[in-house]
Amino acid sequence: MATIDVLQAGVTKPGPDRLASAAWLALVHDATRKLGGVVITSVEEPTVGRNYYRVGVRLRDGVSLSILFNAAANLVAGAQRHDSDRIDEVFVDVPAADVYRYAGLRVAAGAELDQPLNDRHLRLLTDEERRDVAYHQPERLGDLLFNWFD
């Protein structure tokens, strides 16, 4: 399933979901162990200014990443770790993506999330979500799905 297929009403809003996030976090631990890595941060939950969960991992080769989860879209993504004051993510492919897919989660490739945002991406969003897009002007599909809207 293409990442664009998850675009539906409500997908841009913070969506705390205790059960889904617990399942995702267990998968993060499984996938990270599979790669010989470790989880290095606690989970950051969706809040005003962030519509997704985020946790940091360090892989065996020393690479540090964030694994992101948009509960409303049931979507997992990877991002380079960076200063928490930055609002934009540098999207990368999710390591051990098969672990998440086998459990029924969708996994977005970094290249998909870097696609320029266009009107086709917005057609199923609510009027309020389209107003948020007009105001915040995200440039990429990933900026819409993993956003900083307030």
Side-chain angles (χ1 to χ4, degrees):
M1 173 179 286
T3 301
I4 192 169
D5 295 333
V6 304
L7 293 171
Q8 59 191 354
V11 76
T12 70
K13 296 297 179 189
D17 184 326
R18 298 273 181 231
L19 292 177
S21 66
W24 161 77
L25 185 57
L27 293 168
V28 169
H29 282 275
D30 288 347
T32 304
R33 272 193 301 270
K34 179 179 178 180
L35 298 170
V38 294
V39 174
I40 58 173
T41 69
S42 58
V43 173
E44 298 173 52
E45 296 192 353
T47 186
V48 174
R50 187 179 59 253
N51 75 326
Y52 56 91
Y53 293 87
R54 175 172 51 197
V55 68
V57 301
R58 184 173 30 252
L59 305 179
R60 178 184 305 172
D61 61 5
V63 172
S64 293
L65 303 171
S66 292
I67 306 299
L68 314 178
F69 179 58
N70 178 321
N74 206 33
L75 184 66
V76 178
Q80 290 180 346
R81 292 284 300 159
H82 60 68
D83 186 323
S84 61
D85 292 334
R86 284 185 50 190
I87 57 174
D88 60 327
E89 299 284 356
V90 177
F91 296 108
V92 298
D93 291 339
V94 176
D98 58 319
V99 171
Y100 303 96
R101 285 190 190 103
Y102 290 149
L105 297 180
R106 297 176 176 131
V107 178
E112 286 180 291
L113 297 173
D114 278 334
Q115 292 178 55
L117 194 59
N118 61 49
D119 290 338
R120 180 181 66 139
H121 295 127
L122 308 178
R123 69 174 187 257
L124 296 178
L125 301 182
T126 66
D127 290 340
E128 179 184 357
E129 287 174 300
R130 284 193 293 276
R131 283 192 298 273
D132 282 343
V133 169
Y135 179 79
H136 292 284
Q137 299 181 350
E139 294 182 7
R140 306 170 296 169
L141 178 57
D143 297 330
L144 177 68
L145 291 167
F146 297 94
N147 69 58
W148 60 91
F149 304 167
D150 52 5

